[in-house]
Amino acid sequence: MNRPLLVVAASFIAGILFNRFFNIDAGVTFFLAVAAFCAALAGYVLDWRENRRSFILLFVFLGWVSASVDDAAYLNGPERFAGHFVVLEGKVTQEPRPGLGYTAYILAAETVTAGKKQAAVQGTVLVKVGGNGPVYGYGDRLRVRGFLYRPREPGNFGAFNYRDYLERRGIRCLLRVYNPENVQLLDGGGGNALLGVALRGKQRLLEAAAATLDERQGAVLSGMLFGSRGVIDPATEDVFARAGVAHVLCVSGLHVGYVLAGVLLLAGVLGLPRRAWPLAAAPALFFYAVMTGLGPAVLRAGIMAMAVWGAEVLGDRKST
């Protein structure tokens, strides 16, 4: 069976890998992508029999140019000041993640001040604030003072590379703040309105759980519903691991399936037409994905669930 989307995805991934091993300027890869697009368009108009090769080449170059543009964006990043105590200003772009003895923020950096030098920067920084201080929210602009650094490369071959792990998520450096007093709120209430509504809804649910359960139970429920494992104590995690059910603390396709089943059950009870069920399920799955941080596992499961259900409703054949 032909699977054109699989070929497209594999070609795009190949382009990203090429960028990792062949360091070519972003302008050159963009020119090659444009040339491949023109060739594919000409082949489509002229009905070339082997035009599928042009489309494969096009998506290879699209993946390559996408990765090279991302690399070029780091030239003005805050990591230039790594190894120094700095004052950084930026906006919280994701939900803060509380941990045991710290709070983690993802900040879109705007300015960095090191000594008497101040520079405008562009990039994402993982900020870890030690101690028990106020927790700021998504969209807040903060001024933080701490030590800026990049993770070390692993000393042993094949060991986990924390630096690469963060870079794949667009984070090039970390900022360690040793005292909550070194975090100052500059402005609040920014960011995407939809994301803000989803995160506030999540916070209300967690507050209700905290009011009715003890601290340990509330932490486990937070992990099971939203994948927030930072506040679960190591002893509890070890119990789940030894029981072989640690996966329930990580939001994945199982959780998306539960949400989808609940929405479809409710749609059936309300008597909605079967063709309208995907229209009811799509917003619910998207809202849940936003609440859980738009992780890859949730996005993949949500997209596949809607694709399969949409094909079922439309009567199209599914590839298994």
Side-chain angles (χ1 to χ4, degrees):
M1 182 185 295
N2 291 328
R3 291 182 171 86
L5 291 180
L6 179 62
V7 176
V8 166
S11 303
F12 194 85
I13 293 171
I16 295 175
L17 294 176
F18 285 157
N19 178 74
R20 186 172 182 86
F21 296 107
F22 303 101
N23 189 14
I24 299 179
D25 184 79
V28 176
T29 56
F30 178 75
F31 173 78
L32 294 174
V34 172
F37 173 77
C38 293
L41 182 62
Y44 176 78
V45 173
L46 299 176
D47 195 22
W48 290 344
R49 178 172 298 180
E50 299 298 327
N51 193 42
R52 62 180 180 273
R53 298 179 181 177
S54 300
F55 277 96
I56 292 175
L57 193 62
L58 170 62
F59 282 96
V60 168
F61 284 123
L62 285 177
W64 200 336
V65 72
S66 175
S68 60
V69 168
D70 287 342
D71 288 344
Y74 291 132
L75 298 177
N76 194 35
E79 63 272 11
R80 294 179 293 150
F81 298 90
H84 298 85
F85 281 92
V86 302
V87 176
L88 182 145
E89 295 183 7
K91 180 177 291 186
V92 181
T93 60
Q94 297 182 20
E95 179 191 21
R97 296 183 178 272
L100 298 176
Y102 73 93
T103 302
Y105 298 92
I106 303 294
L107 259 63
E110 299 171 356
T111 63
V112 171
T113 303
K116 296 183 179 180
K117 182 180 180 182
Q118 185 180 64
V121 295
Q122 291 181 338
T124 305
V125 180
L126 173 59
V127 179
K128 291 188 175 182
V129 182
N132 296 316
V135 178
Y136 302 98
Y138 165 76
D140 291 345
R141 287 188 66 250
L142 304 179
R143 178 184 290 131
V144 294
R145 175 178 173 79
F147 184 73
L148 190 69
Y149 66 99
R150 300 193 68 190
R152 294 181 179 179
E153 297 281 359
N156 297 323
F157 178 77
F160 174 68
N161 193 323
Y162 187 48
R163 177 183 290 190
D164 284 351
Y165 170 82
L166 291 177
E167 287 185 358
R168 286 194 295 269
R169 286 153 179 79
I171 301 171
R172 301 276 289 187
C173 55
L174 296 90
L175 184 72
R176 172 68 68 178
V177 180
Y178 297 96
N179 193 324
E181 296 179 356
N182 291 329
V183 181
Q184 178 184 356
L185 177 64
L186 299 178
D187 192 14
N192 182 275
L194 178 61
L195 181 56
V197 170
L199 294 180
R200 285 194 295 271
K202 174 183 176 180
Q203 188 61 35
R204 295 289 176 83
L205 293 174
L206 294 180
E207 289 174 356
T212 55
L213 302 173
D214 62 35
E215 184 177 354
R216 185 179 183 184
Q217 293 172 336
V220 171
L221 182 62
S222 175
M224 294 178 66
L225 291 179
F226 304 112
S228 304
R229 302 176 61 178
V231 294
I232 301 177
D233 61 88
T236 302
E237 286 206 62
D238 185 59
V239 171
F240 276 83
R242 285 189 284 108
V245 292
H247 59 280
V248 303
L249 300 177
C250 300
V251 176
S252 61
L254 175 67
H255 301 72
V256 173
Y258 286 150
V259 173
L260 179 62
V263 173
L264 297 181
L265 178 62
L266 181 60
V269 171
L270 295 176
L272 294 179
R274 188 176 178 84
R275 286 184 173 272
W277 288 9
L279 299 179
L285 291 181
F286 177 75
F287 198 74
Y288 180 70
V290 172
M291 294 173 74
T292 57
L294 293 174
V298 176
L299 286 177
R300 178 178 65 247
I303 292 172
M304 293 306 299
M306 293 311 304
V308 171
W309 185 252
E312 179 74 21
V313 171
L314 296 175
D316 290 340
R317 184 173 51 184
K318 300 185 292 293
S319 176
T320 57

